[in-house]
Amino acid sequence: MMGSSDGIDLLHLNQSLHSEPKLVLIFSGKRKSGKDYVTDIVLDRLGEDVCAVIRLSAPLKRAYAQKHGLDLEQLLGCGIYKEIYRADMIRWGEAQRRQDPGFFCRLATGGVCRPIWVVSDARRMSDLQWFWAKFPQQTYCVRVESREETRRQRGWSFSAGVDDAESECGLDDSVEFHWTITNEADAPSLEDQLRPIIALAVEAAAGDANH
């Protein structure tokens, strides 16, 4: 159970293990916009010894899989298995967030000890608010965008209860992003668009190494 004493103890233990990040880069975007692809580039440029990619959906999927007896690896993947359960998983996750808006953020960041945190899948204002409250000076928001036609070519199709839910629309209009990355073939290269973000991360990591 989410509220069991064992779960709370584990959460507190995880929180005690992580060190405060020097920089938090929060990426968001629509399904098939390429968030994972873009954040993988950031990780590749910075290195795993400096950068940790944090997926807020991972603890949600783990808890959902345990509760419903599902295959976690397939839920974490990109195949049809995840799509079968996506709408119900969204509803279940929202019910947990109504009780505790920061629950999944705390689980996802527990035990992380790299100076640069890259959150690859922020979807709700409550996600951003948690990081803003915890790390107000370190947190920057990045939007990844692709045209609908391009997303369709990558396998996206509209799904009622998913693409019109808060998990897809919650950050559409209410956030001033520090950077917007256009993931299109006719846009400037991702390397060029990500250059100022990488530079900021390198500077933050160097500052951490000097302390």
Side-chain angles (χ1 to χ4, degrees), residues 55-69:
R55 292 182 168 85
L56 300 181
S57 61
L60 185 157
K61 291 174 181 176
R62 187 173 297 110
Y64 182 83
Q66 290 174 348
K67 181 175 177 62
H68 296 86

Side-chain angles (χ1 to χ4, degrees), residues 90-142:
I90 289 172
R91 288 190 293 269
W92 182 83
E94 295 299 345
Q96 312 312 308
R97 287 186 180 87
R98 282 193 292 272
Q99 299 176 35
D100 181 357
F103 184 85
F104 294 113
C105 292
R106 290 197 301 275
L107 282 181
T109 58
V112 179
C113 56
R114 300 293 187 269
I116 310 302
W117 292 7
V118 173
V119 179
S120 68
D121 59 349
R123 295 180 179 277
R124 300 161 182 82
M125 185 58 69
S126 61
D127 296 336
L128 302 188
Q129 289 169 341
W130 187 86
F131 284 98
W132 285 336
K134 292 284 290 184
F135 312 112
Q137 302 303 316
Q138 302 103 304
T139 298
Y140 292 77
C141 298
V142 187

